[in-house]
Amino acid sequence: MKKIGVVLILSSISMFLFCSIYHITLKDRKEEDITNYIEETKINEEIESPEIVEEKKEQTNNTINYTSILEIPSINLKEGLVNNTKNFNSVNYAVSIDKQSNYPDKMGNFILYAHSGNSNIAFFKKLYKVKLDDEICVYYNGIKYCYKVIDKYNIDKTGKADVISTNSDKYITLITCNQQEKGKQIVLIGKITNEFKY
């Protein structure tokens, strides 16, 4: 009986260590991918344009290709963004860009969504802590776009959200489930305040 108990304890410890190392490795790889995106898209007019850098990234990177990076300093969030397509459910791998979005370099609304909760893919688990006037930044093709949160509210979890539609300004909208209020989703809206080369 004692031998079975020892084996179970050792098995549990081994499984815990494996899971811990695996999650640390994934975190390190994600941070490296984010850093690489920012470095590879940094604007350096003497060498090459961001478009050329992006083409090289597609050819050499066989992992998930981030199209941009989201940063929310108030909740210590820095995550890669990927497009959602009918063949790739990006929300299970990164923060997802809605198909109706306009990227930050265009007038309109950059719409993002991600899971909340406690899983490894709950990238927006702290989104409920973001407050009005907090800063949201997006790194995209050598430009850092900074937004100020101007509105935050809950909607019913129906799979649909009304978002700002405009051709005269730049907005960002973040959507996730509200873990503090079941059956609801949090919507954060930011308006552009600044953009500059990084």
Side-chain angles (χ1 to χ4, degrees):
M1 220 35 182
K2 285 183 179 180
K3 289 182 181 181
I4 293 173
V6 170
V7 169
L8 288 175
I9 289 170
L10 290 176
S11 296
S12 298
I13 291 171
S14 297
M15 184 62 79
F16 175 76
L17 288 174
F18 172 78
C19 289
S20 296
I21 292 168
Y22 178 74
H23 291 299
I24 289 168
T25 303
L26 281 180
K27 183 181 177 200
D28 290 346
R29 185 173 181 184
K30 181 182 74 170
E31 288 173 2
E32 183 180 330
D33 288 345
I34 288 170
T35 301
N36 287 343
Y37 174 87
I38 291 171
E39 286 300 314
E40 290 173 3
T41 59
K42 193 178 285 185
I43 292 181
N44 186 344
E45 284 110 3
E46 294 175 11
I47 298 175
E48 55 192 341
S49 71
E51 292 75 24
I52 295 171
V53 173
E54 193 62 29
E55 287 175 16
K56 284 185 181 176
K57 181 175 185 284
E58 291 293 328
Q59 293 169 0
T60 60
N61 190 352
N62 59 5
T63 61
I64 296 173
N65 289 321
Y66 295 140
T67 60
S68 47
I69 304 296
L70 173 70
E71 181 177 33
I72 307 176
S74 65
I75 58 171
N76 198 27
L77 175 81
K78 199 167 193 178
E79 289 292 338
L81 307 178
V82 294
N83 287 318
N84 192 23
T85 68
K86 68 178 184 176
N87 298 321
F88 178 63
N89 189 8
S90 59
V91 76
N92 291 325
Y93 301 94
V95 177
S96 190
I97 302 167
D98 189 79
K99 296 173 199 169
Q100 307 300 317
S101 284
N102 291 15
Y103 271 85
D105 60 335
K106 307 276 190 249
M107 295 295 179
N109 201 336
F110 193 45
I111 306 163
L112 309 174
Y113 50 89
H115 290 295
S116 56
N118 296 317
S119 71
N120 292 333
I121 59 171
F123 302 110
F124 279 177
K125 64 184 165 196
K126 294 182 183 175
L127 199 64
Y128 73 95
K129 294 182 177 183
V130 176
K131 298 181 175 96
L132 294 179
D133 296 328
D134 280 358
E135 185 177 60
I136 298 172
C137 298
V138 175
Y139 297 80
Y140 177 63
N141 277 347
I143 306 291
K144 184 177 180 181
Y145 299 87
C146 296
Y147 305 81
K148 180 172 83 170
V149 176
I150 60 169
D151 204 358
K152 177 181 177 181
Y153 55 89
N154 282 326
I155 59 172
D156 290 330
K157 187 177 176 181
T158 62
K160 295 183 180 181
D162 290 329
V163 296
I164 295 171
S165 179
T166 181
N167 292 322
S168 61
D169 218 331
K170 295 180 182 181
Y171 291 90
I172 190 167
T173 300
L174 283 63
I175 304 169
T176 195
C177 292
N178 187 338
Q179 296 299 319
Q180 286 68 45
E181 198 173 334
K182 297 298 178 194
K184 299 286 185 179
Q185 290 181 303
I186 298 170
V187 178
L188 283 179
I189 299 173
K191 187 173 181 181
I192 196 80
T193 57
N194 196 4
E195 54 188 76
F196 53 89
K197 294 177 183 178
Y198 58 81

